[in-house]
Amino acid sequence: MKYLFKNSHIIDPTTGKDTKVDILIVDGIIEKIGNNLSIDINSLTYDLSGKIVAPGFIDMHVHLREPGYEYKETIETGCMAAANGGFTAVCCMPNTNPPIDEASIVRLIKQRAENVLKGLVDIYPIAAITKGREGKELAPMMELVDAGAVGFSDDGSPVENAEVMRRALEYASALNKPIIQHPEELDLAKGGLINEGYVSTMLGMQAIPSIAEEIMIARDLQLTEYFAAQYHAAHISTAGSVELIRMGKKKKLNVSCEVTPHHFSLDDNAVRSFDTNTKMNPPLRTREDIEALKEGLRDGTIDVIATDHAPHSFDEKQVEFLFAPFGIVGLETAVSLASTELVHKNIISISQLIEKFSINPRRILNLPPILINEGVRANLTIFDPSIEWIVDIQKFKSKSKNSPFNGWKLKGKVFGIFNNGIFHPPE
Amino acid sequence: MPLASRHLLGLEGVPKEDIQLILDTATSFREILERPIKKVPTLQGMTIVNLFFESSTRTRISFELAERRLSADVVNFSADLSSVKKGETLKDTARNIEAMKIDMVVMRHAAVGAAHFLTRVIKAIIINAGDGTHEHPTQALLDMYSIREKLGKIEGLNICIVGDISHSRVALSNIYGLKTMGANVAVCGPKTLIPREIGKLGVKIFYSVDEAIKWANVLNVLRIQLERQDRAFFPSLREYRQYFAITKERLDKSEKQITILHPGPINRDVELSAEVADSEHSLILQQVLNGVAVRMAVLYLLGTRSESK
Ligand SMILES: [Zn+2]
């Protein structure tokens, strides 16, 4: 199978490549990159004028829900959502049922993924740090790595016990795998539904203070420094967290962090509608937090944009705010939200956007970088930063539609992905 | 002019004219309540459901009386939230009840925003009779009515709400309503029971009851919820009583007359001494009577609103 992508604007931050060229892909391998490549009648030809061709995007924080919660999402629907959203790879979080705390579960997930869309989307499981995600005993990390786990997290819950966290950081650092913490001090957060602040005061709503997140990150940074380990803070949401990570990086610690598109796109005023799709953990924060997150994205403190894609069924969210589960889907709006809120508002460049969706998460997970060079397997995300479109949740490939962005007009749209020999174009 | 909204979900954002209209309408109903025959045919043919997911005998009886005095047909549905949570969802319960052709729902529910949620799943007119720790608009309206009746005005008065501000729907509705009506509002209590950012709602904060008494014309004393003790918001009831209870000795230190309100039921000699509760400056029993009149006014204004449009 031959594909010819005419007038491709390649941006590859790893090699610094930034050129408008044609790309010829034969049987999944980039055969030729050059100007005016001739059209061959056997090749499928696309004119990519105005579109960016980037190394394939990875979402390092996705809840695929399988095994255990297939009514919310399956590996199949999750992979389709990822492909639709421009991701050639996802990391799936271990809070499934059973959780990913045994090698057999890692293998099961990888196997199932291979059958979805002919293996178009690569799945890299994140395994549990502790058995049953209970925060007590370490999961068999070496076995999990051998089976294919790329990192460790008890996401959904923090590792609360400092000694357990110490052992996890030590053990994983010898394996060159990051510990990914869901940073939340549970006693401070207990019973909270939204951010503690003006909005929670107006609504009389039980709230989660920003310090619940920051205290945990502060502690973890101390541990990371002392044990010279690798630490990644998931879904940071507050100005204080950005500052803590910034300080950690200044000290040259091996620390990194991610932010979700919803945390830089929406503030806690959105909760005033009582829309259960504005309920997530960590909660939507304030305008000031958003400004700090954007500054962190701009200056490189925040390495990664990851969705925390958390599908929940329609009925689960059609309840009182108090009873609704935390979380929203994100795979199919992430790239467009980043383009709209960050690139078009001059917070980051397109090249930085690519770093945060592709280069940095792969570096943190110690995955080989993806290059756009002749002779390598094509792993590409193609998007058009100038197309405007309106989000329609009914068109999502995800099994769940719990998004607060329905009806939003966004600027920037994914055109398609190319991975494992398959081109997945727009419909 | 009809009310701006077809529901009464809270007092946040309710315009002054609407509050005025409700209080003025309540005055006429209050007169009716003094007559030998206390019933008017205003809402004849309307069916109102009192949907109570939290037991609150007082509020439910007050609403029910108001509904019956307006000649509405009344259905009561009470359920323990824990049993409801396991079975049918609020959406299903409400839709089932609505299928029986009802016009209005008065709902008490433990979850913040439950009344707002209801407006999205059924078509009936919704009156919020308390949604968790958010709002309880008819309570604040009857408090304002009682203050106005006793002191002739609301504007310019210094009104302090005393107690657990963080977990009080009465406090929040009072703050919104009283601010709209031009009162000066303060809150007083242990710092652990006052939200950090309450100042942004435009209220003064007192951590000392004596300071609050010095400042206030009216004290609205909240019930201390004994079950909150488990999260250590304050050391003990004994200490609370000693430093925050409204007692005659404390009030006597003030030169001015201070009017006392309490939304009930009272923990006698915890937040309020019996002597103060039963004194001539306490409006507690008037509040109960005014509650019926104010709820009649709200039911009437919402129930007839569509016709007046
Ligand atoms: Zn998490």
Side-chain angles (χ1 to χ4, degrees):
Chain A
M1 199 66 194
K2 288 185 186 177
Y3 291 89
L4 180 61
F5 295 126
K6 299 288 286 179
N7 309 311
S8 311
H9 183 176
I10 298 177
I11 300 181
D12 180 1
T14 310
T15 55
K17 197 176 282 174
D18 186 342
T19 49
K20 288 199 178 91
V21 285
D22 299 342
I23 307 171
L24 177 67
I25 300 170
V26 179
D27 296 331
I29 310 287
I30 299 176
E31 183 151 300
K32 200 146 185 54
I33 297 176
N35 289 309
N36 305 314
L37 298 185
S38 56
I39 296 172
D40 167 341
I41 45 162
N42 295 320
S43 66
L44 277 169
T45 303
Y46 291 87
D47 180 7
L48 298 188
S49 296
K51 296 176 179 56
I52 309 288
V53 176
F57 289 179
I58 180 170
D59 184 347
M60 68 178 285
H61 195 137
V62 173
H63 298 275
L64 286 180
R65 304 299 190 205
E66 186 178 348
Y69 306 100
E70 289 83 356
Y71 67 99
K72 296 173 194 261
E73 191 85 285
T74 61
I75 290 169
E76 183 177 1
T77 56
C79 284
M80 279 159 52
N84 210 36
F87 295 97
T88 62
V90 297
C91 293
C92 56
M93 283 294 168
N95 59 339
T96 46
N97 187 16
I100 312 177
D101 62 356
E102 273 183 42
S104 60
I105 315 277
V106 175
R107 282 193 288 267
L108 174 101
I109 290 169
K110 288 189 75 83
Q111 240 164 42
R112 287 195 185 166
E114 278 165 20
N115 300 324
V116 177
L117 304 169
K118 296 178 184 144
L120 171 66
V121 177
D122 300 317
I123 294 198
Y124 297 106
I126 305 283
I129 296 170
T130 62
K131 284 179 194 159
R133 297 173 48 252
E134 284 175 353
K136 292 176 189 149
E137 291 171 69
L138 292 186
M141 289 190 178
M142 293 172 88
E143 275 179 32
L144 288 159
V145 168
D146 277 346
V150 297
F152 296 97
S153 180
D154 276 358
D155 188 54
S157 309
V159 176
E160 276 204 285
N161 181 307
E163 203 210 352
V164 173
M165 191 59 170
R166 166 199 175 150
R167 301 292 176 217
L169 285 164
E170 287 180 298
Y171 203 84
S173 67
L175 311 175
N176 276 322
K177 295 287 177 273
I179 291 292
I180 302 169
Q181 172 76 304
H182 164 111
E184 182 181 16
E185 208 291 316
L186 293 178
D187 287 314
L188 283 170
K190 188 161 92 182
L193 308 174
I194 62 172
N195 178 54
E196 179 173 309
Y198 176 61
V199 172
S200 69
T201 303
M202 287 195 80
L203 300 181
M205 191 107 71
Q206 289 242 69
I208 304 170
S210 52
I211 49 164
E213 177 173 311
E214 294 153 8
I215 281 175
M216 194 54 102
I217 292 177
R219 180 203 75 173
D220 290 347
L221 289 175
Q222 295 291 106
L223 289 167
T224 303
E225 181 172 13
Y226 191 86
F227 296 105
Q230 185 189 350
Y231 175 77
H232 178 83
H235 45 56
I236 70 162
S237 64
T238 77
S241 298
V242 176
E243 191 48 38
L244 285 164
I245 299 286
R246 188 177 284 130
M247 276 160 44
K249 289 191 168 182
K250 225 171 249 169
K251 286 188 183 170
K252 306 278 182 229
L253 308 186
N254 191 358
V255 297
S256 55
C257 67
E258 71 196 28
V259 67
T260 72
H262 49 272
H263 283 112
F264 63 68
S265 302
L266 278 173
D267 67 52
D268 60 350
N269 276 293
V271 175
R272 292 172 64 177
S273 65
F274 296 107
D275 178 353
T276 53
N277 288 328
T278 62
K279 181 178 175 183
M280 53 278 278
N281 186 16
L284 297 175
R285 304 287 188 183
T286 66
R287 261 295 123 198
E288 293 74 55
D289 292 307
I290 290 181
E291 292 313 314
L293 291 169
K294 286 183 172 173
E295 179 53 26
L297 282 159
R298 197 194 58 75
D299 74 9
T301 302
I302 300 175
D303 308 83
V304 173
I305 301 170
T307 63
D308 195 5
H309 179 83
H312 293 293
S313 78
F314 181 74
D315 283 344
E316 285 175 309
K317 282 283 197 181
Q318 275 282 303
V319 293
E320 301 87 318
F321 199 90
L322 173 65
F323 301 137
F326 291 100
I328 60 166
V329 292
L331 281 167
E332 291 166 89
T333 46
V335 174
S336 297
L337 281 166
S339 167
T340 307
E341 298 294 325
L342 303 177
V343 175
H344 290 292
K345 290 185 179 169
N346 297 315
I347 310 293
I348 60 172
S349 64
I350 288 180
S351 178
Q352 282 176 296
L353 177 135
I354 295 166
E355 287 172 19
K356 291 172 201 303
F357 274 121
S358 179
I359 315 298
N360 296 344
R362 284 181 183 274
R363 189 197 67 230
I364 290 160
L365 298 163
N366 296 305
L367 298 172
I370 287 159
L371 301 171
I372 307 179
N373 287 342
E374 288 177 1
V376 306
R377 291 178 67 82
N379 184 335
L380 308 170
T381 292
I382 306 165
F383 65 100
D384 189 326
S386 59
I387 289 184
E388 293 190 311
W389 64 292
I390 290 173
V391 179
D392 176 0
I393 52 169
Q394 295 312 325
K395 293 193 175 143
F396 283 178
K397 299 294 173 201
S398 172
K399 203 168 202 176
S400 294
K401 321 288 177 198
N402 51 313
S403 167
F405 300 112
N406 193 33
W408 277 43
K409 188 175 175 189
L410 300 179
K411 190 169 183 182
K413 197 170 192 320
V414 170
F415 179 77
I417 59 170
F418 199 112
N419 191 29
N420 294 330
I422 305 156
F423 179 50
H424 183 78
E427 305 205 332
Chain B
M1 277 291 287
L3 296 177
S5 169
R6 72 181 285 263
H7 308 290
L8 180 65
L9 304 178
L11 292 188
E12 186 205 334
V14 173
K16 189 171 182 175
E17 308 77 68
D18 283 11
I19 294 177
Q20 202 93 49
L21 176 62
I22 294 167
L23 300 185
D24 292 345
T25 310
T27 309
S28 359
F29 285 121
R30 176 63 203 274
E31 281 158 22
I32 291 168
L33 293 178
E34 302 290 350
R35 292 183 200 161
I37 295 166
K38 301 177 178 61
K39 208 162 172 165
V40 288
T42 326
L43 294 187
Q44 209 153 38
M46 270 206 150
T47 306
I48 302 175
V49 179
N50 298 315
L51 200 52
F52 276 62
F53 293 101
E54 245 183 8
S55 61
S56 170
T57 317
R58 286 167 171 250
T59 305
R60 195 187 50 71
I61 287 176
S62 179
F63 266 109
E64 191 175 340
L65 211 53
E67 289 152 6
R68 293 194 191 282
R69 300 234 144 122
L70 293 169
S71 306
D73 294 319
V74 181
V75 181
N76 288 309
F77 179 96
S78 301
D80 178 17
L81 196 65
S82 55
S83 68
V84 170
K85 222 192 132 184
K86 274 179 217 130
E88 204 173 40
T89 64
L90 173 58
K91 182 177 155 184
D92 286 335
T93 305
R95 285 199 168 163
N96 272 298
I97 291 171
E98 185 169 56
M100 297 175 221
K101 301 288 170 211
I102 51 119
D103 304 289
M104 259 197 244
V105 175
V106 175
M107 184 169 75
R108 161 66 61 91
H109 195 292
V112 171
H116 298 71
F117 172 71
L118 207 58
T119 64
R120 287 201 280 262
V121 294
I122 62 173
K123 293 184 200 74
I125 298 163
I126 312 294
I127 296 175
N128 181 7
D131 61 327
T133 47
H134 181 216
E135 286 224 43
H136 188 3
T138 57
Q139 177 69 45
L141 288 164
L142 77 87
D143 290 348
M144 287 192 277
Y145 183 93
S146 304
I147 293 168
R148 195 177 78 163
E149 186 185 51
K150 168 88 175 179
L151 301 174
K153 61 171 185 178
I154 295 169
E155 197 174 338
L157 290 177
N158 290 352
I159 300 170
C160 184
I161 307 162
V162 184
D164 181 354
I165 309 301
S166 286
H167 304 97
S168 173
R169 49 188 166 228
V170 177
L172 213 44
S173 286
N174 262 286
I175 290 169
Y176 290 132
L178 290 168
K179 294 290 298 176
T180 303
M181 298 309 283
N184 307 310
V185 184
V187 296
C188 174
K191 200 166 179 177
T192 46
L193 293 177
I194 296 179
R196 248 163 46 94
E197 304 206 21
I198 193 100
K200 289 190 185 162
L201 299 185
V203 303
K204 264 175 98 71
I205 303 167
F206 293 106
Y207 299 119
S208 144
V209 160
D210 294 320
E211 294 291 315
I213 287 172
K214 234 181 265 171
W215 175 85
N217 307 108
V218 177
L219 294 179
N220 195 343
V221 185
L222 303 176
R223 179 183 162 78
I224 277 294
Q225 309 245 318
L226 305 174
E227 61 275 16
R228 297 233 181 267
Q229 283 283 59
D230 65 330
R231 282 195 67 181
F233 287 103
F234 54 91
S236 69
L237 276 181
R238 200 177 68 106
E239 179 150 313
Y240 186 87
R241 183 191 299 131
Q242 209 171 332
Y243 293 94
F244 291 97
I246 305 302
T247 59
K248 188 163 182 305
E249 299 79 73
R250 285 216 160 92
L251 292 176
D252 282 347
K253 283 190 227 152
S254 168
E255 279 149 32
K256 52 187 178 341
Q257 277 315 335
I258 295 181
T259 301
I260 305 291
L261 288 92
H262 190 295
I266 306 173
N267 297 308
R268 274 178 188 265
D269 296 318
V270 179
E271 68 265 1
L272 199 59
S273 76
E275 216 176 350
V276 175
D278 301 332
S279 78
E280 55 175 322
H281 304 297
S282 149
L283 298 185
I284 295 170
L285 290 176
Q286 285 92 314
Q287 282 175 278
V288 177
L289 176 62
N290 294 339
V292 179
V294 163
R295 290 181 174 117
M296 285 173 81
V298 168
L299 290 160
Y300 163 76
L301 290 168
L302 291 176
T304 56
R305 183 175 173 275
S306 47
E307 295 156 34
S308 54
K309 254 194 304 192

